[in-house]
Amino acid sequence: NTGTHFSDVSDELGLTDKNTARGVSLADFDNDGDLDVVISRMTLPALVYRNESQNSNSWVGLAFEGNGTSCNRDAAGTQVTVESVKDGK
């Protein structure tokens, strides 16, 4: 994103696959704090692109679990408040 349009940088990044695809999923598949990409294709196996960028960004992972045995075991509706503290302030 250049601010006014998107630039095609696929060749620079080695993303040269030109097959027909039907879906894409973005998630942190390798649990390292950055987004990875999976592309499902029509007649070929899915492509997985792992984001191996080296940055010093911070991230937090949360896992929720309900406390009931028969209701809300997935902690649906859970609310979380996160506050960032910088330099001890």
Side-chain angles (χ1 to χ4, degrees), residues 14-77:
L15 305 175
T16 57
D17 182 60
K18 305 292 185 200
N19 294 299
T20 302
R22 290 291 184 238
V24 64
S25 178
L26 303 170
D28 184 6
F29 294 108
D30 52 4
N31 200 28
D32 63 356
D34 54 28
L35 289 178
D36 307 301
V37 180
V38 174
I39 301 172
S40 63
R41 301 182 292 175
M42 288 294 292
T43 59
L44 297 168
L47 289 173
V48 178
Y49 292 104
R50 287 183 53 193
N51 183 348
E52 297 296 332
S53 61
Q54 302 296 319
N55 62 49
S56 59
N57 294 339
S58 299
W59 64 281
V60 61
L62 304 171
F64 300 102
E65 182 179 305
N67 60 3
T69 57
S70 62
C71 63
N72 201 21
R73 291 184 295 186
D74 296 327

